[in-house]
Amino acid sequence: MTKERAYFESLALKEEGKLCPQHVPEVYHFDRTMSLIGMRYLEPPHIILRKGLIAGVEYPLLAEHMSDFMAKTLFFTSLLFRSTTEHKRDVAEFCGNVELCRLTEQVVFSDPYKVSEYNRWNSPYLDQDAEAVREDNLLKLEVAELKSKFCEKAQALIHGDLHTGSVMVTRESTQVIDPEFAFYGPIGFDIGAFLGNLILAYYSQDGHADQANDRKGYKEWILKTIEDTWNLFHHKFTALWDEHKNGPGEAYLPAIYNNPEVQLLVQKKYITDVFHDSLGFGVAKMIRRIIGVTHVEDLESIADAGKRATCERRALNLAKTLLKERRKFESISEIVSAIQQF
């Protein structure tokens, strides 16, 4: 990967830090020649969230904090708050991060759906499952649409890799790190990445259960966190929209969208589109974490390959179903019910 990614990581950290300083470590210095970022040290007991999820640790403020980070960083860098002049200027700047965008295009939207030297999976257990993905025409149709949105929809400044390995936590603190993949893209990509990784964590729990702890209670906490994260994001994002509806944003000019009825209509359509985008991107990232190049420790750390395959297959089957049928779902509670059915 190009060393220029450090430049875009520092830009994103600074911008996100201005918008949500409680959940982004401060950058003190950046040296572009050396690709060196000097930033706040996240002291112990901060750990990578994924490690905590594997260990079965509950983080009571996680949904509150992550919804806050996503609502603020995504709203304030979108045309709901900004002029088209400001927006296009920053879109152009982050277009320079093309190499990491191309990497995402390859590993999320391309490789899992073809024979690729980079793909790997839990063989022989998932051989037929991987082949089924490569032969599923409807799945390919849907992932093509998602790839198009990822490449063309410069909706807001997104982190670009917001999985549970890009968040450090304690029970009281949540810090988002590593936005080296940042660019102006679809809002649902960040939301989906986070929720999709929580779903993977949910399905991995049966592989980590033992006689002392069946993990059932922890699985319920993960499901609640998934539901709370979306619902809190929805509430906070629309609250920011309501607060700034007469502000500088040029997506919906007040002179045109000048009555409560039309304002509700555009909000509902916008949020519904973000919800369905989030589902699509989230499950696409799940698929690539099971049969693509880079997997997740949640599943990889399950020692028994057969037990791991059972967890992976449940996640993969849910992901395929949601990718093809996501527009049928109207609420996050329906998604939680679907997760439990697989």
Side-chain angles (χ1 to χ4, degrees):
M1 292 190 290
T2 170
K3 70 175 188 175
E4 271 296 280
R5 70 187 190 275
Y7 170 69
F8 294 104
E9 179 174 357
S10 69
L11 277 187
L13 283 168
K14 290 174 183 177
E15 182 64 22
E16 292 168 347
K18 284 190 293 186
L19 299 174
C20 193
Q22 306 93 328
H23 304 305
V24 181
E26 184 179 356
V27 173
Y28 304 126
H29 176 72
F30 175 66
D31 186 316
R32 191 167 187 175
T33 302
M34 299 296 292
S35 299
L36 183 146
I37 302 174
M39 58 191 293
R40 176 193 164 190
Y41 169 60
L42 295 174
E43 69 287 345
H46 282 95
I47 63 168
I48 294 293
L49 173 58
R50 193 183 303 283
K51 300 282 189 182
L53 294 171
I54 293 168
V57 180
E58 293 187 15
Y59 297 98
L61 298 176
L62 182 62
E64 183 72 43
H65 289 172
M66 287 304 297
S67 62
D68 203 44
F69 170 82
M70 292 189 294
K72 289 177 179 175
T73 59
L74 297 172
F75 176 82
F76 286 116
T77 59
S78 76
L79 285 170
L80 297 176
F81 182 76
R82 309 180 84 196
S83 71
T84 56
T85 302
E86 293 173 306
H87 190 74
K88 289 182 184 297
R89 178 198 65 210
D90 288 347
V91 168
E93 178 71 38
F94 275 91
C95 276
N97 205 13
V98 60
E99 291 303 321
L100 268 67
C101 288
R102 285 180 58 80
L103 180 59
T104 300
E105 293 159 24
Q106 175 189 336
V107 301
V108 176
F109 304 112
S110 298
D111 282 355
Y113 305 92
K114 66 177 185 176
V115 174
S116 169
E117 62 181 304
Y118 303 109
N119 289 341
R120 63 182 184 87
W121 54 83
N122 187 0
S123 182
Y125 299 97
L126 297 186
D127 288 356
Q128 292 183 349
D129 301 86
E131 183 180 7
V133 169
R134 296 194 302 269
E135 295 181 353
D136 191 324
N137 290 337
L138 291 179
L139 209 59
K140 292 177 180 179
L141 191 66
E142 293 297 337
V143 85
E145 180 180 331
L146 290 172
K147 182 177 181 179
S148 177
K149 287 186 177 183
F150 178 83
C151 296
E152 299 167 358
K153 195 170 186 177
Q155 204 168 18
L157 176 61
I158 65 172
H159 178 284
D161 201 26
L162 194 56
H163 54 73
T164 52
S166 295
V167 183
M168 294 190 72
V169 289
T170 68
R171 287 178 61 84
E172 296 80 29
S173 170
T174 305
Q175 302 292 320
V176 177
I177 60 172
D178 290 350
E180 62 184 356
F181 283 80
F183 79 112
Y184 273 75
I187 285 173
F189 193 77
D190 272 2
I191 303 166
F194 185 67
L195 296 182
N197 274 260
L198 288 180
I199 297 171
L200 288 174
Y202 170 86
Y203 282 120
S204 76
Q205 294 305 312
D206 287 347
H208 298 296
D210 54 33
Q211 289 184 339
N213 184 354
D214 62 12
R215 297 284 183 120
K216 288 182 180 178
Y218 193 61
K219 289 168 68 176
E220 289 299 318
W221 175 79
I222 294 176
L223 292 177
K224 184 177 187 304
T225 300
I226 291 169
E227 189 164 6
D228 287 351
T229 298
W230 169 259
N231 286 335
L232 287 166
F233 167 81
H234 182 183
H235 171 75
K236 293 174 183 181
F237 191 90
T238 53
L240 288 170
W241 190 340
D242 289 340
E243 181 183 352
H244 297 282
K245 64 185 178 184
N246 296 315
E250 294 187 349
Y252 299 99
L253 298 174
I256 300 173
Y257 303 92
N258 56 3
N259 64 76
E261 291 78 17
V262 72
Q263 289 166 0
L264 282 174
L265 284 172
V266 296
Q267 266 194 6
K268 182 177 180 181
K269 184 180 188 314
Y270 191 101
I271 294 297
T272 298
D273 288 346
V274 168
F275 180 63
H276 290 150
D277 283 355
S278 300
L279 295 180
F281 288 125
V283 297
K285 288 178 78 71
M286 288 172 61
I287 291 170
R288 83 93 158 186
R289 292 293 191 177
I290 297 170
I291 61 169
V293 62
T294 309
H295 295 194
V296 291
E297 188 181 354
D298 313 62
L299 293 164
E300 294 284 282
S301 60
I302 300 170
D304 184 319
K307 186 180 292 186
R308 182 166 79 246
T310 299
C311 298
E312 291 169 328
R313 186 172 291 112
R314 292 178 66 200
L316 190 58
N317 287 339
L318 171 87
K320 292 192 298 181
T321 298
L322 288 189
L323 188 51
K324 291 185 281 191
E325 300 180 8
R326 64 189 182 280
R327 298 172 194 84
K328 297 179 182 178
F329 293 86
E330 297 182 359
S331 70
I332 194 67
S333 61
E334 294 175 356
I335 300 301
V336 168
S337 295
I339 294 169
Q340 293 171 300
Q341 291 169 13
F342 281 84

